[in-house]
mmCIF file of all heavy atoms in Angstrom:
data_model
loop_
_atom_site.group_PDB
_atom_site.id
_atom_site.type_symbol
_atom_site.label_atom_id
_atom_site.label_comp_id
_atom_site.label_asym_id
_atom_site.label_seq_id
_atom_site.Cartn_x
_atom_site.Cartn_y
_atom_site.Cartn_z
ATOM 1 N N ILE A 1 -2.890 69.785 -31.726
ATOM 2 C CA ILE A 1 -2.063 70.046 -30.692
ATOM 3 C C ILE A 1 -1.520 71.560 -30.815
ATOM 4 O O ILE A 1 -1.614 72.409 -29.920
ATOM 5 C CB ILE A 1 -0.774 69.220 -30.609
ATOM 6 C CG1 ILE A 1 -1.251 67.655 -30.214
ATOM 7 C CG2 ILE A 1 0.186 69.662 -29.535
ATOM 8 C CD1 ILE A 1 -0.061 66.624 -30.328
ATOM 9 N N VAL A 2 -1.168 71.901 -32.134
ATOM 10 C CA VAL A 2 -0.595 73.229 -32.331
ATOM 11 C C VAL A 2 -1.828 74.253 -32.160
ATOM 12 O O VAL A 2 -1.584 75.432 -31.551
ATOM 13 C CB VAL A 2 -0.039 73.351 -33.783
ATOM 14 C CG1 VAL A 2 0.312 74.819 -34.051
ATOM 15 C CG2 VAL A 2 1.161 72.467 -33.876
ATOM 16 N N SER A 3 -3.146 73.967 -32.407
ATOM 17 C CA SER A 3 -4.139 74.903 -32.252
ATOM 18 C C SER A 3 -4.393 75.212 -30.715
ATOM 19 O O SER A 3 -5.075 76.266 -30.404
ATOM 20 C CB SER A 3 -5.430 74.295 -32.787
ATOM 21 O OG SER A 3 -5.846 73.044 -32.144
ATOM 22 N N CYS A 4 -3.829 74.386 -29.816
ATOM 23 C CA CYS A 4 -4.018 74.668 -28.410
ATOM 24 C C CYS A 4 -2.865 75.566 -27.827
ATOM 25 O O CYS A 4 -2.923 75.854 -26.598
ATOM 26 C CB CYS A 4 -4.079 73.344 -27.565
ATOM 27 S SG CYS A 4 -5.525 72.356 -28.090
ATOM 28 N N LEU A 5 -1.873 75.811 -28.710
ATOM 29 C CA LEU A 5 -0.648 76.511 -28.229
ATOM 30 C C LEU A 5 -0.786 78.059 -28.430
ATOM 31 O O LEU A 5 -1.762 78.486 -29.013
ATOM 32 C CB LEU A 5 0.581 76.047 -28.961
ATOM 33 C CG LEU A 5 0.880 74.671 -28.661
ATOM 34 C CD1 LEU A 5 2.118 74.180 -29.546
ATOM 35 C CD2 LEU A 5 1.225 74.328 -27.183
ATOM 36 N N PRO A 6 0.026 78.855 -27.948
ATOM 37 C CA PRO A 6 -0.036 80.351 -28.150
ATOM 38 C C PRO A 6 -0.040 80.704 -29.768
ATOM 39 O O PRO A 6 0.331 79.901 -30.589
ATOM 40 C CB PRO A 6 1.229 80.921 -27.510
ATOM 41 C CG PRO A 6 1.484 79.891 -26.364
ATOM 42 C CD PRO A 6 1.038 78.479 -27.045
ATOM 43 N N LEU A 7 -0.377 81.942 -29.959
ATOM 44 C CA LEU A 7 -0.828 82.419 -31.356
ATOM 45 C C LEU A 7 0.673 82.325 -32.191
ATOM 46 O O LEU A 7 0.511 81.953 -33.351
ATOM 47 C CB LEU A 7 -1.245 83.923 -31.237
ATOM 48 C CG LEU A 7 -1.517 84.500 -32.726
ATOM 49 C CD1 LEU A 7 -2.564 83.659 -33.406
ATOM 50 C CD2 LEU A 7 -1.876 85.972 -32.465
ATOM 51 N N GLU A 8 1.749 82.598 -31.485
ATOM 52 C CA GLU A 8 2.924 82.640 -32.338
ATOM 53 C C GLU A 8 3.280 81.260 -32.950
ATOM 54 O O GLU A 8 4.060 81.151 -33.847
ATOM 55 C CB GLU A 8 4.096 83.139 -31.535
ATOM 56 C CG GLU A 8 4.324 82.259 -30.160
ATOM 57 C CD GLU A 8 5.440 82.766 -29.433
ATOM 58 O OE1 GLU A 8 6.294 83.522 -29.995
ATOM 59 O OE2 GLU A 8 5.571 82.553 -28.232
ATOM 60 N N PHE A 9 2.751 80.176 -32.309
ATOM 61 C CA PHE A 9 3.006 78.887 -32.897
ATOM 62 C C PHE A 9 1.875 78.403 -33.880
ATOM 63 O O PHE A 9 2.064 77.363 -34.482
ATOM 64 C CB PHE A 9 3.120 77.872 -31.604
ATOM 65 C CG PHE A 9 4.211 78.058 -30.830
ATOM 66 C CD1 PHE A 9 4.064 78.755 -29.625
ATOM 67 C CD2 PHE A 9 5.549 77.591 -30.987
ATOM 68 C CE1 PHE A 9 4.991 78.954 -28.725
ATOM 69 C CE2 PHE A 9 6.512 77.807 -30.252
ATOM 70 C CZ PHE A 9 6.333 78.491 -29.048
ATOM 71 N N ARG A 10 0.790 79.088 -33.884
ATOM 72 C CA ARG A 10 -0.282 78.933 -34.838
ATOM 73 C C ARG A 10 -0.229 79.398 -36.107
ATOM 74 O O ARG A 10 -1.234 79.383 -36.934
ATOM 75 C CB ARG A 10 -1.552 79.232 -34.087
ATOM 76 C CG ARG A 10 -1.767 78.409 -32.706
ATOM 77 C CD ARG A 10 -3.189 78.444 -32.314
ATOM 78 N NE ARG A 10 -3.882 79.789 -32.290
ATOM 79 C CZ ARG A 10 -4.056 80.450 -31.239
ATOM 80 N NH1 ARG A 10 -3.502 80.044 -30.060
ATOM 81 N NH2 ARG A 10 -4.587 81.693 -31.210
ATOM 82 N N GLY A 11 0.739 80.159 -36.519
ATOM 83 C CA GLY A 11 0.749 80.651 -37.862
ATOM 84 C C GLY A 11 1.435 82.029 -37.993
ATOM 85 O O GLY A 11 1.722 82.463 -39.125
ATOM 86 N N SER A 12 1.485 82.805 -36.918
ATOM 87 C CA SER A 12 2.002 84.181 -37.019
ATOM 88 C C SER A 12 3.537 84.032 -37.448
ATOM 89 O O SER A 12 4.093 84.961 -38.063
ATOM 90 C CB SER A 12 1.850 84.801 -35.768
ATOM 91 O OG SER A 12 2.575 84.129 -34.623
ATOM 92 N N ASP A 13 4.242 82.868 -36.998
ATOM 93 C CA ASP A 13 5.529 82.613 -37.419
ATOM 94 C C ASP A 13 5.702 81.278 -38.023
ATOM 95 O O ASP A 13 5.824 80.244 -37.332
ATOM 96 C CB ASP A 13 6.489 82.789 -36.176
ATOM 97 C CG ASP A 13 7.877 82.872 -36.541
ATOM 98 O OD1 ASP A 13 8.326 82.586 -37.829
ATOM 99 O OD2 ASP A 13 8.830 83.122 -35.781
ATOM 100 N N PRO A 14 5.638 81.211 -39.448
ATOM 101 C CA PRO A 14 5.642 79.905 -40.047
ATOM 102 C C PRO A 14 6.881 79.024 -39.662
ATOM 103 O O PRO A 14 6.663 77.782 -39.439
ATOM 104 C CB PRO A 14 5.598 80.222 -41.445
ATOM 105 C CG PRO A 14 5.052 81.600 -41.534
ATOM 106 C CD PRO A 14 5.479 82.256 -40.386
ATOM 107 N N SER A 15 7.975 79.675 -39.651
ATOM 108 C CA SER A 15 9.190 78.865 -39.194
ATOM 109 C C SER A 15 9.057 78.202 -37.748
ATOM 110 O O SER A 15 9.496 77.083 -37.666
ATOM 111 C CB SER A 15 10.399 79.681 -39.377
ATOM 112 O OG SER A 15 10.333 80.881 -38.476
ATOM 113 N N LEU A 16 8.558 79.051 -36.869
ATOM 114 C CA LEU A 16 8.351 78.661 -35.489
ATOM 115 C C LEU A 16 7.274 77.480 -35.500
ATOM 116 O O LEU A 16 7.446 76.464 -34.712
ATOM 117 C CB LEU A 16 7.923 79.673 -34.654
ATOM 118 C CG LEU A 16 7.867 79.398 -33.095
ATOM 119 C CD1 LEU A 16 9.254 78.982 -32.552
ATOM 120 C CD2 LEU A 16 7.414 80.601 -32.368
ATOM 121 N N ARG A 17 6.253 77.462 -36.326
ATOM 122 C CA ARG A 17 5.254 76.384 -36.391
ATOM 123 C C ARG A 17 6.002 75.091 -36.847
ATOM 124 O O ARG A 17 5.718 74.026 -36.297
ATOM 125 C CB ARG A 17 4.245 76.832 -37.369
ATOM 126 C CG ARG A 17 3.092 75.770 -37.480
ATOM 127 C CD ARG A 17 2.116 76.068 -38.467
ATOM 128 N NE ARG A 17 1.168 75.149 -38.617
ATOM 129 C CZ ARG A 17 -0.091 74.984 -38.009
ATOM 130 N NH1 ARG A 17 -0.344 75.792 -37.032
ATOM 131 N NH2 ARG A 17 -0.929 73.959 -38.286
ATOM 132 N N ARG A 18 6.781 75.199 -37.811
ATOM 133 C CA ARG A 18 7.533 74.026 -38.305
ATOM 134 C C ARG A 18 8.458 73.411 -37.248
ATOM 135 O O ARG A 18 8.508 72.204 -37.096
ATOM 136 C CB ARG A 18 8.390 74.394 -39.644
ATOM 137 C CG ARG A 18 7.516 74.710 -40.874
ATOM 138 C CD ARG A 18 8.302 74.683 -42.114
ATOM 139 N NE ARG A 18 9.384 75.737 -42.066
ATOM 140 C CZ ARG A 18 9.194 76.995 -42.462
ATOM 141 N NH1 ARG A 18 8.029 77.367 -43.013
ATOM 142 N NH2 ARG A 18 10.206 77.809 -42.394
ATOM 143 N N ASN A 19 9.073 74.327 -36.545
ATOM 144 C CA ASN A 19 9.964 73.881 -35.435
ATOM 145 C C ASN A 19 9.181 73.160 -34.495
ATOM 146 O O ASN A 19 9.594 72.096 -33.907
ATOM 147 C CB ASN A 19 10.707 75.026 -34.780
ATOM 148 C CG ASN A 19 11.715 75.672 -35.786
ATOM 149 O OD1 ASN A 19 11.821 76.962 -35.609
ATOM 150 N ND2 ASN A 19 12.237 75.084 -36.680
ATOM 151 N N MET A 20 7.931 73.674 -34.010
ATOM 152 C CA MET A 20 7.154 73.022 -33.153
ATOM 153 C C MET A 20 6.619 71.589 -33.626
ATOM 154 O O MET A 20 6.591 70.605 -32.785
ATOM 155 C CB MET A 20 5.889 73.853 -32.875
ATOM 156 C CG MET A 20 4.893 73.180 -31.775
ATOM 157 S SD MET A 20 5.617 72.826 -30.272
ATOM 158 C CE MET A 20 5.863 74.434 -29.530
ATOM 159 N N GLU A 21 6.247 71.491 -34.858
ATOM 160 C CA GLU A 21 5.917 70.197 -35.410
ATOM 161 C C GLU A 21 7.055 69.232 -35.372
ATOM 162 O O GLU A 21 6.751 68.008 -35.022
ATOM 163 C CB GLU A 21 5.326 70.383 -36.886
ATOM 164 C CG GLU A 21 4.115 71.226 -36.872
ATOM 165 C CD GLU A 21 3.750 71.349 -38.354
ATOM 166 O OE1 GLU A 21 4.428 71.105 -39.253
ATOM 167 O OE2 GLU A 21 2.546 71.883 -38.675
ATOM 168 N N SER A 22 8.353 69.734 -35.722
ATOM 169 C CA SER A 22 9.454 68.848 -35.615
ATOM 170 C C SER A 22 9.707 68.191 -34.209
ATOM 171 O O SER A 22 9.945 67.211 -33.896
ATOM 172 C CB SER A 22 10.762 69.435 -36.103
ATOM 173 O OG SER A 22 10.577 69.864 -37.442
ATOM 174 N N VAL A 23 9.562 69.262 -33.111
ATOM 175 C CA VAL A 23 9.765 68.754 -31.786
ATOM 176 C C VAL A 23 8.640 67.870 -31.414
ATOM 177 O O VAL A 23 8.895 66.890 -30.711
ATOM 178 C CB VAL A 23 9.699 70.062 -30.889
ATOM 179 C CG1 VAL A 23 9.668 69.761 -29.429
ATOM 180 C CG2 VAL A 23 10.924 71.040 -31.179
ATOM 181 N N LEU A 24 7.440 68.033 -31.740
ATOM 182 C CA LEU A 24 6.353 67.140 -31.494
ATOM 183 C C LEU A 24 6.515 65.765 -32.056
ATOM 184 O O LEU A 24 6.309 64.795 -31.398
ATOM 185 C CB LEU A 24 5.070 67.721 -31.921
ATOM 186 C CG LEU A 24 4.438 68.898 -31.153
ATOM 187 C CD1 LEU A 24 3.294 69.575 -31.895
ATOM 188 C CD2 LEU A 24 4.173 68.551 -29.611
ATOM 189 N N GLU A 25 7.005 65.585 -33.291
ATOM 190 C CA GLU A 25 7.369 64.424 -33.985
ATOM 191 C C GLU A 25 8.468 63.784 -33.323
ATOM 192 O O GLU A 25 8.453 62.477 -33.057
ATOM 193 C CB GLU A 25 7.681 64.656 -35.382
ATOM 194 C CG GLU A 25 6.429 65.051 -36.215
ATOM 195 C CD GLU A 25 6.842 65.191 -37.713
ATOM 196 O OE1 GLU A 25 8.026 65.097 -38.048
ATOM 197 O OE2 GLU A 25 5.909 65.410 -38.409
ATOM 198 N N GLY A 26 9.493 64.564 -32.778
ATOM 199 C CA GLY A 26 10.644 63.903 -32.054
ATOM 200 C C GLY A 26 10.165 63.323 -30.647
ATOM 201 O O GLY A 26 10.584 62.197 -30.329
ATOM 202 N N LEU A 27 9.274 63.998 -30.032
ATOM 203 C CA LEU A 27 8.704 63.420 -28.762
ATOM 204 C C LEU A 27 7.911 62.218 -29.057
ATOM 205 O O LEU A 27 8.013 61.311 -28.295
ATOM 206 C CB LEU A 27 7.944 64.596 -28.129
ATOM 207 C CG LEU A 27 8.740 65.699 -27.437
ATOM 208 C CD1 LEU A 27 7.761 66.811 -26.998
ATOM 209 C CD2 LEU A 27 9.453 65.139 -26.188
ATOM 210 N N MET A 28 7.128 62.274 -30.033
ATOM 211 C CA MET A 28 6.141 61.065 -30.317
ATOM 212 C C MET A 28 6.882 59.895 -30.802
ATOM 213 O O MET A 28 6.380 58.718 -30.468
ATOM 214 C CB MET A 28 5.077 61.473 -31.299
ATOM 215 C CG MET A 28 4.163 62.570 -30.747
ATOM 216 S SD MET A 28 2.901 63.070 -32.016
ATOM 217 C CE MET A 28 1.908 64.309 -31.120
ATOM 218 N N ASN A 29 7.974 60.131 -31.524
ATOM 219 C CA ASN A 29 8.670 59.015 -32.134
ATOM 220 C C ASN A 29 9.729 58.342 -31.192
ATOM 221 O O ASN A 29 10.255 57.272 -31.495
ATOM 222 C CB ASN A 29 9.424 59.439 -33.411
ATOM 223 C CG ASN A 29 8.356 59.798 -34.499
ATOM 224 O OD1 ASN A 29 7.250 59.328 -34.507
ATOM 225 N ND2 ASN A 29 8.811 60.683 -35.356
ATOM 226 N N ALA A 30 10.001 59.101 -30.123
ATOM 227 C CA ALA A 30 11.113 58.688 -29.100
ATOM 228 C C ALA A 30 10.595 57.488 -28.394
ATOM 229 O O ALA A 30 9.315 57.359 -28.043
ATOM 230 C CB ALA A 30 11.490 59.778 -28.163
ATOM 231 N N PRO A 31 11.396 56.599 -27.945
ATOM 232 C CA PRO A 31 11.034 55.349 -27.142
ATOM 233 C C PRO A 31 10.528 55.857 -25.788
ATOM 234 O O PRO A 31 11.213 56.560 -25.155
ATOM 235 C CB PRO A 31 12.286 54.566 -26.991
ATOM 236 C CG PRO A 31 13.047 54.923 -28.143
ATOM 237 C CD PRO A 31 12.853 56.393 -28.454
ATOM 238 N N GLY A 32 9.378 55.497 -25.418
ATOM 239 C CA GLY A 32 8.645 55.805 -24.267
ATOM 240 C C GLY A 32 8.262 57.370 -24.210
ATOM 241 O O GLY A 32 8.014 57.832 -23.165
ATOM 242 N N ASN A 33 8.309 57.944 -25.361
ATOM 243 C CA ASN A 33 7.978 59.313 -25.465
ATOM 244 C C ASN A 33 8.683 60.268 -24.649
ATOM 245 O O ASN A 33 8.235 61.292 -24.129
ATOM 246 C CB ASN A 33 6.497 59.541 -25.249
ATOM 247 C CG ASN A 33 5.607 58.860 -26.399
ATOM 248 O OD1 ASN A 33 5.906 58.698 -27.548
ATOM 249 N ND2 ASN A 33 4.284 58.496 -25.983
#
């Protein structure tokens, strides 16, 4: 999923990449997504 996002989420900013992964996990783990 992250590889399909803009460059700043793909590694240019490591903290922003971690934030994106946390947001994705929150969406996937939520009831009904």
